[in-house]
Amino acid sequence: MRRIKLTVAYDGTDYCGWQIQPNGITIEEVLNKKLSKLTGENIVIIGASRTDSGVHAMGNVAVFDTKSPIPPDRFSYALNQKLPDDIVIVKSEEVPSDWHPRYQDHIVKTYEYHILNTEVPDPTKRHNTYFVSYKLDVAKMREAAEYLLGEHDFASFCNIRTNVEDTVRTIYELEVLESECTYARNGHAAGRELTIRIKGNGFLYNMVRIIVGTLLRVGRGFYTPEQVKEILEAKDRQAAGVTAPPQGLMLMQIEYQDILLTKK
């Protein structure tokens, strides 16, 4: 029996998230079915990050166990022939039989949230950006983001329906990046695209989207940057901003410091 690690990219628009749900199709369900058909075994994958409905990924991670003779690096090619166009296996490789994508000593996850800050929406970006027409003070958003760096109790930035006992997490980086958007007005600048990039050792349910919603309220002037520190210290979900919608969120990468690939 071998354990195979998959790096998975997907457009989450038409899926009810990663984890199998009774009310709709999910990424996990599709991968299980396609892998089972490919190997002739009953495959049940283990995912690293259970992204929500409508959320996208460039680098989610999953593992599965198999007796199939298919070479580890060829699973990606074989699977991509069977998967729908909105799911792609970026890479496949063998890992130790006890390697788990969620339980490692040092894991770093990177998310990006994409915002289209223009007067009118761009219909070609409706599935992977959040359209915001109002003016935003990016400098204040960046100032507010500084208060969230480091290890903190992020209970204020966690959906109340989460069942975790420990709400302490560490954010290593939190950037608010901007670039000019020129898709309209005869090629002249019509606004900008913002990318909120966040890197940490783990994230609570809806944590990134609540952070984004809070930073947007800072950008609009409803909160001062200093109030974000107060929100953090309150440890109360009602103190923070609204949860930003899912389509702007993308899981970019999951890094494992101590992964040791099985030697052939």
Side-chain angles (χ1 to χ4, degrees):
M1 186 74 71
R2 297 175 302 160
R3 176 156 288 193
I4 306 298
K5 172 178 174 277
L6 303 176
T7 301
V8 190
Y10 48 87
D11 179 336
T13 302
D14 295 329
Y15 297 93
C16 295
W18 172 274
Q19 191 174 15
I20 291 178
Q21 304 288 338
N23 61 337
I25 192 168
T26 66
I27 305 295
E28 184 179 41
E29 178 184 354
V30 172
L31 289 175
N32 283 344
K33 287 182 178 179
K34 298 302 182 181
L35 277 166
S36 295
K37 187 174 182 179
L38 177 65
T39 63
E41 303 166 299
N42 182 26
I43 299 294
V44 178
I45 64 172
I46 302 171
S49 186
R50 298 169 182 173
T51 53
D52 292 337
S53 177
V55 174
H56 317 294
M58 289 297 291
N60 206 344
V61 170
V63 297
F64 66 95
D65 297 322
T66 181
K67 295 180 180 179
S68 170
I70 298 174
D73 63 331
R74 300 303 297 178
F75 272 102
S76 58
Y77 297 97
L79 272 174
N80 285 336
Q81 300 301 313
K82 299 179 178 297
L83 288 169
D85 292 341
D86 50 9
I87 303 176
V88 172
I89 306 303
V90 178
K91 185 179 182 180
S92 58
E93 56 196 312
E94 188 172 350
V95 292
S97 60
D98 61 349
W99 192 87
H100 196 289
R102 293 198 299 273
Y103 307 128
Q104 296 297 318
D105 290 338
H106 188 69
I107 301 175
V108 179
K109 295 183 179 182
T110 302
Y111 280 91
E112 287 185 358
Y113 194 94
H114 300 273
I115 299 165
L116 184 66
N117 189 203
T118 57
E119 292 183 5
V120 294
D122 180 348
T124 68
K125 296 183 178 181
R126 68 191 186 281
H127 292 315
N128 58 11
T129 59
Y130 174 38
F131 168 61
V132 172
S133 60
Y134 43 79
K135 293 182 179 180
L136 294 169
D137 189 328
V138 175
K140 287 187 177 180
M141 293 172 67
R142 288 170 175 159
E143 185 181 345
E146 292 291 321
Y147 291 105
L148 300 176
L149 292 173
E151 183 180 86
H152 303 285
D153 187 333
F154 284 94
S156 293
F157 297 89
C158 177
N159 189 296
I160 58 174
R161 290 183 295 165
T162 189
N163 56 6
V164 299
E165 295 181 2
D166 183 11
T167 52
V168 174
R169 298 292 186 274
T170 302
I171 293 181
Y172 304 120
E173 297 178 16
L174 179 51
E175 300 177 284
V176 183
L177 310 172
E178 62 178 321
S179 60
E180 190 176 83
C181 178
T182 59
Y183 79 92
R185 293 187 176 181
N186 297 319
H188 297 292
R192 58 192 170 179
E193 292 186 48
L194 303 182
T195 299
I196 297 177
R197 182 178 298 152
I198 183 168
K199 181 178 291 191
N201 67 348
F203 296 92
L204 302 164
Y205 183 31
N206 286 164
M207 178 175 161
V208 176
R209 289 164 58 192
I210 296 170
I211 287 174
V212 171
T214 303
L215 292 179
L216 285 173
R217 291 187 69 82
V218 172
R220 293 188 71 180
F222 294 135
Y223 299 153
T224 65
E226 293 76 17
Q227 281 180 282
V228 171
K229 183 175 184 293
E230 298 173 9
I231 292 169
L232 184 65
E233 294 172 346
K235 302 176 185 177
D236 180 1
R237 172 64 188 94
Q238 294 184 355
V242 298
T243 304
Q247 70 269 19
L249 184 60
M250 184 174 294
L251 172 58
M252 299 302 295
Q253 184 180 28
I254 303 177
E255 299 169 271
Y256 299 94
Q257 180 176 312
D258 54 355
I259 184 171
L260 298 174
L261 299 185
T262 302
K263 296 181 179 179
K264 294 183 179 180

